Amino acid sequence: MQIQATRALSAAVHMSLRFSLLLLNLEEYYFEQHTANHIQHKGSQNERKIRGSLKICSKSVIFEPDAISQPIIKIPLRDCIKIGKHGENGANRHFAKAISRGISLIFSQVYFIKEHNIVAPYKIERGTMEYVFELDVSGKVEDVVETLLQLHRASCLDKLGDQTAMITAILQSRLARTSFDKNRFQSVSEKLHMECKAEMVTPLVTNPGHACITDTTLYFQPLNGYPKPMVQITLHDVRRIYKRRHGLMPLGLEVFCTEDDLCSDVYLKFYERQDRDDLYFYIATYLGLVLTLHYMCSCEEHHVAERTAEGYTLQWQRGLLSNYQYLLHLNTLADRSCNDLSQYPVFPWIVSDYSSSELDLSNPGTFRDLSKPVGALNKERLERLLTRYQEMPEPKFMYGSHYSSPGYVLFYLVRIAPEYMLCLQNGRFDNADRMFNSIAETWKNCLDGATDFKELIPEFYGDDVSFLVNSLKLDLGKRQGGQMVDDVELPPWARSPEDFLQKSRDALESDYVSEHLHEWIDLVFGYKQKGRDAVGAHNVFHPLTYEGGVDLNSIEDPDEKVAMLTQILEFGQTPKQLFVTPHPRRITPKFKRLFQPSSYNASTADSPVSPGEESFEDLTEESRTLAWSNITRLQLHEQHKIHKEAVTGIAVSRSGSSVFTTSQGLSVKPLLAATALPFLAVYTNSTDRSVLVGDMALGHLACYLCVCWSSVRVRKSFLYVCFVIIKLDSTLKMFSKESKMLQRSISFSNMALSSCLLLPGDATVVSSSWDNNVYFYSIAFGRRQDTLMGHDDAVSKICWHDNRLYSASWDSTVKVWSGVPAEMPGSRRHQFDLLAELEHDVSVDTISLSAASTLLVSGTKEGTVTIWDLTAATILHQIPCHSGTVCDTAFSPDSRHVLSAGEDGCLNVVDVQTGTLISSLTSDEPQRCTFSSYSWCFLWDGNSVLSGSQSGELLVWDLLGGKIRERIQGHTGAVTCMWMNEQCSRVITGGEDRQIMFWKLQC
């Protein structure tokens, strides 16, 4: 991802036309221009005409000569003494006929800018003067004079609020008298959806005009035709759109036609929030429709997705985004834009050592403490600030200046964007000793200065060194020591500007920063940004810098409102808060990545593997990574139908020769005819009581009956509905992979078997049942050897680790048992000891263990995912992240994340450390979780997910990219369970179509 912001800021410097909106004052508008001559020394022998264009602005008149050797002339309207047609009064009356196209300006002050096209501080000439400008079109003189007189009256009003109100009224009148020129449409077939007034935002200036959107294109037509008559963006090219706040008001919209660039294609500010929202809706609707059509047609994906901080967090945690890229994304999501200097992207100071000859990135002392804001890094200064804070009346704040503001941004960028600095500071550069002269001096002042708490900008970690080098040969002044301000002085450890940026990038991507960057994110984008946590972190700034700190619309006094807006724009703004809980830390890989960028002087002593050696574990991990990277190449190898109902569980012997499966075992249908059937149950909707016929408790079949209820074509007012429950196949089956034959079929119960697993040693199969029991089956002796009657309702899922059984049940508990089952039939049954009982509010439908079995995650009927610490049997986090039943859960291989799937069609990723929901993807088809024992199932490696769909397909999800990579056709009904071998090269799936399918990875 390359930074384009510097290039955007310096664009005006390299334009063929010298005039730019930066020559205007802040909050000034450019209305119109007229071709004209500036007549000098009229009536004398030295009379001359200078050809150029006269530009009428809301607070000034600007004349741009065609000859670049001549300076641009700027006359502030507030300094004008008289404005009129030349010769209509006084001694020059006899020239009236000769110069009928002349406009006379008598004033007391004038600015001369960019003489010989050199960017330098403005030259000012004071004293009473008269300039005459002759328009090419004589008929325009009266209109121009009338406009200038009106703007002059506005500029001379005593109160700033009254000035702003009058200029705004003039602007709105001009906008109302004009409309978008529909002849500018790219095609006669385009259909207009919406047109409204808006302003195009660029750094320090806004340009009014008309925004228009058709069924194919977004247009912006500037009122003044500058810098070109039309800006247009084809909707098909749009990749990202963001609603923005401008001046702390929700009126902005930024459109990107690139995936990663920080600089957008257009930034619009609207006068009405509804206009902004409507235009956003039209673009978003178009993009959604295009994406759908591309998907339906199986075309190349038009990748436009809603970007969330949580989704980027997951990518960053797992190493798909660098620290640099992640910070750029967070800035973009937090309303930071290179088009708005009051909200320019903010980056942290990383290195604190600017005096050593070598930069040691293996030494923690090299780095700044990222858990503290800049203002709290110096203990002595912080104590003085806290004393003042405690004595301050409400509203209190610790720091009198912000860490990011237009002045600070241009402090760093003055060498590449000098015209912006001149615009911000009324035509002057800063004092030479206060300029950005030295990296070390700037850092020292941020540590010790009474009012300097600034952070850095992205350019310090980019690849464009131009902001460090005075390549434009600007005259930036002379310091007290006599030396001229030129290139930025670099620290001793940097051999060149390129070397400085490279080492700064290495520092940003170092292990130390990766382990601590979340602490800085908490301060700037997260939960320590506001409230008590901000106070505790010494991170409190002026209230006007925060979103929601002031409601400008509620301020009635126009002077106060203008002053407030000016302060907001110039003082700097705190980013939009993205996180309200502690930010998860980055996952530091156990082994160094093969292509990880090297760091200067970084130590390799922490590597567990000697150079040139690879551990077996490392090789195994590499083979898994390779397998998952090719998971889309799964191919069906063979399939067998061994059950008479849906498959609910799969377990495979270590050798892979034997496959054990369980089945739902029940078929529920409406009673259509009186026939002799094994069991009959009647459900009444007038009472909570179940009516039992035969030996089945209907309470265990509640979820089946609810499904069948919808298939019975009867009125809900009917008191009774009858169902037929046919016992078909509630069995555990053993299938031989080698002989491809069914070897055993074991029946434990009349109720459904919900899951199965093999104990270590492959001697015992364990199966859970809806009859409240867990059954242990001896493979060697072919008999049931133990029954654990452990719950008061159906057992939905079981797990086993280190002689401990974990069982989840619809009785709202998860139980942890200790014990070893009997080794042979007829021996004394083992007594299972209950070690822990994890209570839930509702029925538990799924559980999973972490790799070390110290954590357990459970999912409930009401959509809650709970992470348990098994060492203390306590809840770590409880996250209500689904709107319906949680169908399946699993830890990532490194146990840093939990993935859950629900009947709401969502795949959610939760950070284990903080309990933060950091990603959520939605399936394009509804998921059925009524039969919770075999609902939406998945396998995952932490990055990619292989899931079974309701339609029978295997879906390969790019979890980090937020999309489905591949659809593999499989079962004819829902995929109900999945198994994968340790090498991730073979997969077995079970389905509602009663089949088990064997899949191989074709690498």
Side-chain angles (χ1 to χ4, degrees):
M1 185 187 300
Q2 300 297 323
I3 277 287
Q4 303 295 328
T6 304
R7 301 185 189 109
L9 284 173
S10 60
V13 175
H14 306 291
M15 289 180 61
S16 59
L17 295 177
R18 293 184 296 157
F19 171 79
S20 80
L21 297 179
L22 293 170
L23 300 184
L24 280 59
N25 294 343
L26 295 177
E27 300 299 306
E28 182 178 5
Y29 297 108
Y30 166 37
F31 286 148
E32 60 191 50
Q33 76 167 355
H34 304 275
T35 305
N37 292 317
H38 176 209
I39 303 177
Q40 294 181 334
H41 310 295
K42 178 61 188 175
S44 69
Q45 291 181 346
N46 296 326
E47 178 179 322
R48 60 181 296 202
K49 293 183 178 181
I50 299 176
R51 189 71 171 163
S53 61
L54 187 69
K55 305 177 190 299
I56 310 302
C57 307
S58 60
K59 297 180 181 181
S60 63
V61 175
I62 296 176
F63 180 76
E64 179 189 17
D66 292 343
I68 63 172
S69 61
Q70 295 292 323
I72 295 173
I73 297 170
K74 178 179 179 180
I75 305 171
L77 287 172
R78 70 174 180 273
D79 294 328
C80 287
I81 300 169
K82 189 172 184 180
I83 300 173
K85 294 173 64 176
H86 181 73
E88 64 182 1
N89 294 306
N92 292 321
R93 188 176 301 168
H94 61 282
F95 293 117
K97 288 187 178 179
I99 311 178
S100 59
R101 298 190 297 269
I103 298 174
S104 171
L105 299 177
I106 301 175
F107 50 86
S108 60
Q109 183 171 262
V110 62
Y111 294 90
F112 298 104
I113 307 168
K114 295 181 75 172
E115 187 173 5
H116 297 290
N117 206 28
I118 296 174
V119 178
Y122 303 168
K123 296 179 180 178
I124 305 175
E125 186 174 328
R126 294 183 175 90
T128 302
M129 293 163 275
E130 180 182 14
Y131 278 10
V132 177
F133 300 98
E134 183 183 74
L135 304 186
D136 280 4
V137 181
S138 59
K140 291 286 187 180
V141 172
E142 289 190 5
D143 290 340
V144 172
V145 169
E146 182 179 348
T147 298
L148 290 175
L149 289 171
Q150 188 181 30
L151 293 170
H152 178 253
R153 287 194 297 272
S155 296
C156 292
L157 293 172
D158 293 334
K159 294 185 176 181
L160 186 60
D162 292 340
Q163 292 180 27
T164 302
M166 187 171 178
I167 292 173
T168 300
I170 295 171
L171 170 62
Q172 293 300 321
S173 175
R174 283 174 168 261
L175 289 171
R177 293 197 307 268
T178 58
S179 61
F180 183 86
D181 183 4
K182 298 177 179 58
N183 292 322
R184 297 281 186 177
F185 283 173
Q186 293 298 294
S187 170
V188 294
S189 63
E190 284 186 69
K191 296 180 180 178
L192 176 66
H193 282 310
M194 175 185 173
E195 177 186 348
C196 64
K197 296 176 289 186
E199 296 179 7
M200 187 164 67
V201 178
T202 53
L204 295 183
V205 295
T206 59
N207 200 13
H210 295 272
C212 173
I213 189 167
T214 70
D215 51 352
T216 63
T217 310
L218 170 65
Y219 298 93
F220 178 77
Q221 183 178 16
L223 182 65
N224 48 37
Y226 178 88
K228 54 185 178 180
M230 188 70 62
V231 176
Q232 62 187 52
I233 295 176
T234 303
L235 297 183
H236 185 79
D237 294 334
V238 174
R239 290 298 179 270
R240 295 178 288 151
I241 53 174
Y242 296 98
K243 292 181 179 180
R244 294 292 191 217
R245 55 180 180 146
H246 188 271
L248 293 186
M249 299 180 68
L251 299 173
L253 181 70
E254 196 162 18
V255 181
F256 294 79
C257 292
T258 55
E259 290 289 351
D260 296 320
D261 278 352
L262 186 63
C263 195
S264 64
D265 290 81
V266 67
Y267 187 147
L268 298 177
K269 170 195 170 186
F270 297 81
Y271 298 107
E272 301 292 338
R273 180 174 181 174
Q274 190 61 50
D275 288 339
R276 190 277 304 267
D277 293 345
D278 288 345
L279 195 138
Y280 177 90
F281 172 79
Y282 281 121
I283 298 177
T285 301
Y286 172 86
L287 298 180
L289 177 61
V290 170
L291 184 59
T292 301
L293 290 175
H294 274 255
Y295 176 77
M296 292 174 61
C297 298
S298 299
C299 299
E300 181 181 354
E301 185 177 4
H302 184 86
H303 185 57
V304 181
E306 182 179 355
R307 308 301 178 101
T308 63
E310 291 78 10
Y312 285 131
T313 300
L314 180 62
Q315 291 182 317
W316 170 70
Q317 276 195 289
R318 305 206 68 81
L320 265 73
L321 288 178
S322 65
N323 293 337
Y324 173 80
Q325 291 172 316
Y326 184 50
L327 290 176
L328 281 184
H329 285 307
L330 293 185
N331 273 282
T332 299
L333 291 170
D335 284 342
R336 314 300 286 188
S337 168
C338 63
N339 283 312
D340 185 354
L341 294 188
S342 66
Q343 298 190 91
Y344 200 79
V346 56
F347 269 58
W349 284 96
I350 293 297
V351 175
S352 64
D353 179 5
Y354 295 101
S355 59
S356 300
S357 58
E358 295 292 334
L359 186 65
D360 184 2
L361 297 183
S362 65
N363 179 11
T366 298
F367 299 92
R368 164 258 184 104
D369 186 347
L370 290 166
S371 68
K372 298 177 181 178
V374 168
L377 293 175
N378 183 322
K379 184 178 180 181
E380 291 76 18
R381 180 180 63 175
L382 178 62
E383 289 176 354
R384 294 194 299 269
L385 292 170
L386 289 177
T387 300
R388 187 189 68 174
Y389 173 76
Q390 291 162 2
E391 297 172 352
M392 185 182 297
E394 295 292 345
K396 295 184 176 184
F397 54 90
M398 295 180 184
Y399 309 113
S401 63
H402 205 254
Y403 51 77
S404 177
S405 69
Y408 289 161
V409 172
L410 295 178
F411 168 84
Y412 292 125
L413 298 179
V414 63
R415 290 169 177 80
I416 192 64
E419 289 188 85
Y420 290 86
M421 177 66 83
L422 294 173
C423 176
L424 186 68
Q425 300 201 149
N426 298 316
R428 301 185 303 272
F429 290 130
D430 204 350
N431 179 280
D433 287 295
R434 291 197 298 265
M435 297 284 279
F436 181 33
N437 294 303
S438 161
I439 303 290
E441 284 183 15
T442 302
W443 168 247
K444 184 177 185 303
N445 200 53
C446 288
L447 284 182
D448 302 334
T451 60
D452 193 350
F453 315 107
K454 59 179 172 285
E455 293 278 12
L456 296 182
I457 56 176
E459 281 77 2
F460 278 82
Y461 305 101
D463 55 10
D464 187 350
V465 301
S466 58
F467 77 103
L468 299 170
V469 181
N470 187 16
S471 57
L472 297 176
K473 302 304 178 184
L474 300 168
D475 182 359
L476 299 173
K478 183 182 292 186
R479 304 187 67 179
Q480 287 184 355
Q483 66 270 38
M484 296 296 296
V485 176
D486 197 20
D487 296 346
V488 176
E489 182 183 339
L490 302 174
W493 46 257
R495 297 185 298 271
S496 66
E498 291 80 6
D499 187 48
F500 171 75
L501 292 188
Q502 179 63 54
K503 289 178 178 176
S504 295
R505 285 196 299 273
D506 289 341
L508 180 62
E509 303 302 334
S510 66
D511 287 345
Y512 178 89
V513 174
S514 293
E515 292 169 2
H516 294 277
L517 186 59
H518 65 284
E519 298 171 341
W520 185 84
I521 292 172
D522 283 335
L523 294 170
V524 177
F525 302 104
Y527 81 107
K528 291 183 179 179
Q529 184 194 94
K530 300 177 183 178
R532 289 183 299 176
D533 292 307
V535 175
H538 306 134
N539 194 40
V540 182
F541 295 86
H542 195 282
L544 285 181
T545 67
Y546 294 94
E547 183 177 28
V550 62
D551 181 7
L552 290 175
N553 292 323
S554 66
I555 301 176
E556 297 181 357
D557 186 296
D559 289 328
E560 182 184 352
K561 187 171 184 177
V562 171
M564 195 78 71
L565 179 60
T566 302
Q567 185 174 353
I568 288 170
L569 293 177
E570 294 184 5
F571 190 83
Q573 298 176 40
T574 300
K576 178 180 179 181
Q577 188 174 22
L578 301 178
F579 308 99
V580 294
T581 57
H583 191 283
R585 70 171 63 232
R586 192 172 195 187
I587 299 170
T588 304
K590 182 178 179 182
F591 301 101
K592 299 289 185 183
R593 291 183 180 271
L594 185 61
F595 301 107
Q596 183 180 11
S598 61
S599 298
Y600 287 85
N601 298 326
S603 172
T604 58
D606 57 344
S607 175
V609 183
S610 301
E613 296 182 7
E614 288 182 296
S615 68
F616 176 76
E617 181 182 358
D618 201 9
L619 292 173
T620 302
E621 183 60 33
E622 284 189 15
S623 68
R624 291 171 181 163
T625 301
L626 179 63
W628 271 101
S629 67
N630 291 282
I631 200 68
T632 56
R633 299 183 184 179
L634 274 180
Q635 290 187 1
L636 182 61
H637 183 58
E638 57 185 277
Q639 61 192 80
H640 304 276
K641 183 179 290 188
I642 60 174
H643 283 281
K644 296 180 181 179
E645 271 301 325
V647 183
T648 60
I650 300 173
V652 181
S653 62
R654 191 167 183 83
S655 65
S657 60
S658 298
V659 179
F660 298 86
T661 58
T662 52
S663 173
Q664 148 189 332
L666 300 167
S667 177
V668 184
K669 299 178 181 179
L671 181 61
L672 302 178
T675 54
L677 296 167
F679 303 99
L680 176 64
V682 180
Y683 169 74
T684 171
N685 60 356
S686 63
T687 178
D688 291 334
R689 215 177 268 278
S690 300
V691 180
L692 183 63
V693 178
D695 61 354
M696 290 188 183
L698 192 58
H700 292 155
L701 306 177
C703 71
Y704 275 151
L705 298 179
C706 290
V707 172
C708 294
W709 171 271
S710 62
S711 67
V712 180
R713 302 195 175 191
V714 296
R715 288 183 174 272
K716 287 190 177 181
S717 59
F718 281 12
L719 189 60
Y720 295 97
V721 178
C722 295
F723 296 91
V724 175
I725 296 93
I726 305 173
K727 175 186 174 186
L728 290 176
D729 184 23
S730 56
T731 55
L732 169 69
K733 295 185 183 290
M734 178 177 174
F735 180 80
S736 171
K737 181 69 170 56
E738 296 174 351
S739 66
K740 297 179 175 35
M741 294 181 61
L742 183 64
Q743 292 184 324
R744 300 183 191 178
S745 182
I746 307 102
S747 179
F748 298 123
S749 165
N750 292 325
M751 303 298 294
L753 300 180
S754 55
S755 64
C756 62
L757 57 84
L758 267 170
L759 296 188
D762 289 353
T764 304
V765 182
V766 186
S767 180
S768 57
S769 174
W770 281 12
D771 67 1
N772 311 354
N773 298 330
V774 178
Y775 297 98
F776 295 80
Y777 175 80
S778 171
I779 299 172
F781 295 93
R783 297 178 59 180
R784 182 173 70 190
Q785 63 185 33
D786 256 333
T787 300
L788 174 63
M789 294 178 285
H791 288 276
D792 298 325
D793 208 332
V795 182
S796 54
K797 187 75 176 287
I798 53 174
C799 298
W800 180 277
H801 183 266
D802 196 21
N803 289 334
R804 291 189 178 183
L805 175 70
Y806 304 83
S807 59
S809 172
W810 293 355
D811 66 5
S812 305
T813 66
V814 174
K815 294 184 178 181
V816 183
W817 310 86
S818 174
V820 180
E823 295 183 357
M824 54 189 305
S827 64
R828 182 179 63 84
R829 291 183 179 274
H830 185 85
Q831 179 68 42
F832 283 90
D833 297 324
L834 180 61
L835 300 180
E837 186 169 346
L838 312 180
E839 295 284 350
H840 297 70
D841 294 330
V842 293
S843 62
V844 184
D845 286 80
T846 183
I847 55 171
S848 294
L849 290 171
S850 65
S853 295
T854 57
L855 302 175
L856 178 142
V857 58
S858 59
T860 69
K861 177 182 179 182
E862 292 185 351
T864 299
V865 170
T866 305
I867 301 174
W868 298 83
D869 178 1
L870 292 177
T871 59
T874 57
I875 294 176
L876 290 180
H877 306 290
Q878 200 164 32
I879 310 102
C881 55
H882 291 279
S883 59
T885 301
V886 181
C887 305
D888 201 2
T889 58
F891 285 90
S892 58
D894 57 15
S895 300
R896 299 294 187 98
H897 296 117
V898 164
L899 179 66
S900 63
E903 69 174 343
D904 55 5
C906 289
L907 279 171
N908 292 332
V909 180
V910 173
D911 181 75
V912 172
Q913 177 196 2
T914 63
T916 305
L917 178 64
I918 59 175
S919 180
S920 182
L921 304 179
T922 304
S923 172
D924 61 344
E925 61 180 58
Q927 302 299 323
R928 187 179 68 192
C929 280
T930 306
F931 307 109
S932 60
S933 59
Y934 67 86
S935 304
W936 192 10
C937 49
F938 63 80
L939 304 165
W940 78 311
D941 72 334
N943 300 329
S944 300
V945 179
L946 178 67
S947 74
S949 74
Q950 186 67 24
S951 61
E953 296 174 310
L954 300 187
L955 307 180
V956 180
W957 296 76
D958 176 4
L959 198 60
L960 304 176
K963 59 184 179 181
I964 295 176
R965 289 172 54 200
E966 191 70 35
R967 292 173 173 268
I968 306 170
Q969 188 56 49
H971 295 266
T972 56
V975 181
T976 54
C977 52
M978 307 177 76
W979 172 89
M980 177 181 278
N981 67 342
E982 186 177 1
Q983 292 74 31
C984 308
S985 59
R986 296 177 183 270
V987 173
I988 303 176
T989 60
E992 199 174 28
D993 59 2
R994 311 167 190 178
Q995 297 197 84
I996 55 172
M997 292 186 172
F998 295 82
W999 306 81
K1000 282 186 179 180
L1001 192 62
Q1002 304 297 320
C1003 295

